[in-house]
């Protein structure tokens, strides 16, 4: 069960590189509202600044997303986590793992970093209460050895938030 | 009153022209839904767009132009939808106080015909489907029959490979052998057999499509690339262009595909029935036939089915034995008429990997 984190560290395939370069160019031309890509020379790891949408619980708060791309992106989903401190949200664990179906089972290669960002912002925006998931402590303890959220078997049964 | 009769006659005329594609919700004042295809699209693989428009007229029609809107469309992005609508609406204003329903429909079909080409980027690699600068060297692309979403053939096939492989490996790992899908893309010959099983979902809209939608493309690509060629390499272009459909090319590709199949199956050959190899062309799926076919093939060769099951257990091996491919192919035949095949393996793979119940 650790092989997927190993493969995430593998260098990007040529296809993945081409696609990411294209995404980066498009991001620069038309970035999703509320997000800022922190420029590095590492194509395989993007760090993106998120600002909570005005009028929501997270207005004016800024968080950082870390997006790691696997060798076979976009066939495989990227690993997306919040860097510390992660926003207080019923679907976001204190270690930054995000319970959002499109990052795991429902990933489709037609999605992009942009579309992920928009989903995450919409997830933040629709939250009505700032709290951790109920099973936060148990889950975070389980992940202590640096496990990737992509190895978690997620349950998604709440589409309200 | 005479005016009303004229309008009724006009509605009848539209019905006569569009037949089953015209749904009359109300004759007076007219309220119609008309499904339109581009004029150039008598052959399904040359059709890339379609639209259903609604025309709602008021009792003052034709003095007052009718409202026109899109009910449904395929293959048209927002920009082209807007363009289509504004063209028809403009026409309606131009013709104000004349009876215009038939003319409006003609205008819509005209515009739709002008738009009958795929547009924009491939959703998978994000590069243009049809590069503008090099018309002669376009990569072949294909559209899915259910939703008209278009992809580079290469891209959608890569996606398909990946899906099939993930399925394979999932079931393998549930039996104890851990491992993430197969980075061993090099044995594509092997996968060529496997990928035909089951069905997938459109990466864009998730509408299911069937293996049959892809078969012709798989054959086309398979027949041109050797088993060593990596997925990164560009496909040979030239005569693979979608819109080139000379019967000669068709014929040649068809036979190349059959030859390929034959190689895979160690000389055993049963040409696929009614399969014409043309990118973008899709055949309706005769469910009954495939059921019959599968029954008859199972009867003929029960051992092949068994070996297919066996092979799926160790999908990571770089094997490319003809026997194994043969098995995989048979299995595909068994399951391709429903979206979820593998009823024998499915239940096992589902929940074994669950380690944390992250309830929310």
């Amino acid at each position: 069960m650790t092989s997927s984190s190993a493969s995430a560290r593998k260098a990007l395939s040529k296809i993945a590189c081409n696609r990411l370069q294209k995404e980066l160019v498009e991001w620069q031309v038309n970035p999703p509202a509320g997000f800022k890509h922190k420029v590095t020379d590492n194509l395989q790891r993007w760090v993106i600044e998120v600002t909570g949408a005005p009028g929501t619980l997270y207005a004016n708060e800024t968080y950082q997303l870390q997006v790691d791309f696997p060798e076979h992106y976009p066939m495989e989903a990227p690993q997306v986590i919040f860097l510390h401190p992660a926003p207080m949200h019923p679907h976001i664990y204190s270690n930054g793992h995000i319970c959002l179906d499109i990052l795991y089972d429902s990933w489709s290669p037609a999605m992009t970093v942009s579309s992920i960002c928009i989903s995450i912002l919409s997830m933040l925006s629709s939250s009505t209460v700032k709290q951790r998931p109920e099973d936060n402590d148990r889950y975070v303890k389980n992940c202590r050895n640096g496990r990737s959220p992509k190895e978690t078997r997620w349950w998604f049964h709440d589409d309200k938030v | 009153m005479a005016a009303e009769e004229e309008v009724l006659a006009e509605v009848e005329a539209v019905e006569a022209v569009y037949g089953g594609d015209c749904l009359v919700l109300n004759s007076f004042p007219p309220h119609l839904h008309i499904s339109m295809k581009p004029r150039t699209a008598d052959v399904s693989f040359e059709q890339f767009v379609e639209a259903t428009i609604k025309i709602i007229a008021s009792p003052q029609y034709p003095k007052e132009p009718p409202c026109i809107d899109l009910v449904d469309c395929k293959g048209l992005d927002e920009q082209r939808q807007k363009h289509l609508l504004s063209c028809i609406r403009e026409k309606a204003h131009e013709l104000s106080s004349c009876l215009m329903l038939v003319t409006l429909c003609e205008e819509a079909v005209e515009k739709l015909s002008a738009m009958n080409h795929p547009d924009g980027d491939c959703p998978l690699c994000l590069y243009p489907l049809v590069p503008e600068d090099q018309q002669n060297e376009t990569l072949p692309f294909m559209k899915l029959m259910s939703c008209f979403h278009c992809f580079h053939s290469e891209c959608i096939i890569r996606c398909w490979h990946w899906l099939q492989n993930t399925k394979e490996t999932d079931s393998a790992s549930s039996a104890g052998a851990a491992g993430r899908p197969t980075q061993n893309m090099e044995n594509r010959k092997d996968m060529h057999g496997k990928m035909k099983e089951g069905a997938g979902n459109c990466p864009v809209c998730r509408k299911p499509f069937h293996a049959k939608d892809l078969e012709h493309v798989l054959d086309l690509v398979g027949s041109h690339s050797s088993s060593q060629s990596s997925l990164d390499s560009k496909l040979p272009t030239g005569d693979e262009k979608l819109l080139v459909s000379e019967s000669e090319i068709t014929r040649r590709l068809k036979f190349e595909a059959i030859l390929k199949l034959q190689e895979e199956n160690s000389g055993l050959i049963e040409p696929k029935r009614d399969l014409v190899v043309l990118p973008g062309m899709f055949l309706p799926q005769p469910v009954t036939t495939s059921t019959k076919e599968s029954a008859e093939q199972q009867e003929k060769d029960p051992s092949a089915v068994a070996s297919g099951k066996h092979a799926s257990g160790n999908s990571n091996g770089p094997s490319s034995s003809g026997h194994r491919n043969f098995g995989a192919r048979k299995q595909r035949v068994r399951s391709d008429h429903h979206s979820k095949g593998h009823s024998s393996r499915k239940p096992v793979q589902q929940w074994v990997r669950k380690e944390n119940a992250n309830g929310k």
Side-chain angles (χ1 to χ4, degrees), chain B residues 8-29:
Chain B
L8 285 174
E10 200 197 7
V11 171
E12 258 172 50
V14 176
E15 266 189 295
V17 175
Y18 290 91
D21 294 333
C22 173
L23 178 67
V24 180
L25 296 168
N26 198 15
S27 308
F28 191 86

Side-chain angles (χ1 to χ4, degrees), chain A residues 19 99 106 108 142 155 157, chain B residues 124 203 206 354 356 358 360:
Chain A
R19 154 106 184 207
C99 180
S106 302
S108 151
N142 256 320
W155 284 84
H157 47 226
Chain B
L124 297 176
R206 299 187 200 273
K354 169 171 179 282
N356 305 286
N358 299 297
K360 242 28 88 70

